[in-house]
Amino acid sequence: MEYRGSSVYDNDDFLSTYLMRRKRQASPNNILEKPVLLQLIGEVRGKKVLDLGCGDAEIGKELLEAGCSFYEGVDGSVNMVGKAQQALTSESSRIHLASMEDWDFPRESYDLVISRLALHYLEDLQKVVQQIHHSLKPGGHFIFSVQHPILTSSINNPEGEQKRSSWLVDDYFKIGNRTEKWMGKDVIKYHRTIEEYFRIINDCGFRVSTLKECTPQRKYFTSEEEYLRRMRVPIILLMSCEKAG
């Protein structure tokens, strides 16, 4: 069975394994992606934030504690939405059960839209980015992370607990769906080159202000071996984009 979008997170066994790995201190989400994401987000006090593919909305708690005026999350997984609603009880937050493709984006409502490692599940990314542009106030920012194209075009993903020690890239310039064996499930993701991400963002009216590949920072690693392994190839791509006034 192949899983599309967020549907894989509604498999209870998969979700349990995923959350166990995701919560690890040494998770790439925590030591590679999150520090860069927070740096790009900067000051959120008084800002209204939309989080697309919010998962359990862990970042929402942090943004509310940092002073954002309202946090709104959207996710297509029933399991993830349930966990997000349990975690966020503030009246300054709201979680929606919907896919990004089908959600009704309000016009010029947000100061900041974020998406963490979710957009590579979308087949029609341009449609969603157009809606994000539509939903941002003039001068608002869209900050997102995706699996780096090196990963989405890399084959021979190891099974089980084995750590990947080599990366074989193939069909890099062939944009489209790839089926990845991920924690025992066949998950469909969409490969795009960095150039293609840039084109979509630019065509939808954004200006890319910052591009990051999450260079590993030694201070976040407790293992020298893991630090050196993560220095070999990029695994996460982030962009910060501004809506022109």
Side-chain angles (χ1 to χ4, degrees), residues 11-24:
N11 179 294
D12 292 337
D13 291 338
F14 178 91
L15 180 66
S16 176
T17 301
Y18 168 80
L19 289 175
M20 180 178 64
R21 293 189 180 189
R22 173 67 180 81
K23 301 295 184 182
R24 289 178 301 138

Side-chain angles (χ1 to χ4, degrees), residues 34 51 127 132-133 176 187 194 231 244:
K34 188 175 179 180
D51 185 358
K127 175 186 174 182
I132 293 169
H133 188 274
V187 180
I194 295 177
M231 284 291 290

Side-chain angles (χ1 to χ4, degrees), residues 148-208:
H148 197 286
I150 289 292
L151 278 198
T152 52
S153 62
S154 182
I155 60 177
N156 296 338
N157 195 24
E159 281 292 295
E161 297 298 318
Q162 180 184 357
K163 289 185 177 182
R164 174 175 283 183
S165 59
S166 62
W167 291 261
L168 179 60
V169 173
D170 196 15
D171 285 333
Y172 179 82
F173 291 104
K174 185 178 181 181
I175 294 167
N177 65 299
R178 310 284 175 100
T179 299
E180 177 184 334
K181 182 71 74 174
W182 187 30
M183 290 188 284
K185 306 298 180 185
D186 291 326
V187 180
I188 295 176
K189 299 178 181 180
Y190 289 87
H191 168 69
R192 296 175 178 91
T193 62
I194 295 177
E195 180 180 335
E196 179 68 0
Y197 279 114
F198 183 88
R199 181 196 66 77
I200 291 171
I201 293 297
N202 189 64
D203 286 355
C204 290
F206 285 102
R207 180 182 67 87
V208 177

Side-chain angles (χ1 to χ4, degrees), residues 52 113 115 119 125-134 136 140-146 192-211 237-244:
L52 296 172
V113 176
S115 182
L119 298 182
L125 177 60
Q126 184 145 342
K127 175 186 174 182
V128 172
V129 174
Q130 286 172 339
Q131 291 300 309
I132 293 169
H133 188 274
H134 163 90
L136 277 166
H141 287 82
F142 170 39
I143 300 173
F144 70 92
S145 62
V146 290
R192 296 175 178 91
T193 62
I194 295 177
E195 180 180 335
E196 179 68 0
Y197 279 114
F198 183 88
R199 181 196 66 77
I200 291 171
I201 293 297
N202 189 64
D203 286 355
C204 290
F206 285 102
R207 180 182 67 87
V208 177
S209 55
T210 307
L211 185 151
L237 174 70
L238 278 98
M239 290 189 185
S240 178
C241 317
E242 182 178 359
K243 178 178 179 177

Side-chain angles (χ1 to χ4, degrees), residues 77-120:
S77 162
V78 173
N79 281 345
M80 283 299 196
V81 166
K83 291 187 176 298
Q85 290 173 335
Q86 290 172 12
L88 294 180
T89 57
S90 167
E91 293 183 358
S92 298
S93 65
R94 187 178 300 121
I95 304 297
H96 304 271
L97 174 61
S99 69
M100 287 182 263
E101 299 96 324
D102 297 330
W103 193 57
D104 186 14
F105 286 77
R107 182 175 179 81
E108 295 190 356
S109 295
Y110 305 103
D111 301 290
L112 172 66
V113 176
I114 63 173
S115 182
R116 302 181 67 191
L117 297 167
L119 298 182
H120 50 253

Side-chain angles (χ1 to χ4, degrees), residues 206-219:
F206 285 102
R207 180 182 67 87
V208 177
S209 55
T210 307
L211 185 151
K212 295 283 190 179
E213 294 180 292
C214 296
T215 304
Q217 300 180 55
R218 183 64 185 87
K219 63 183 178 181

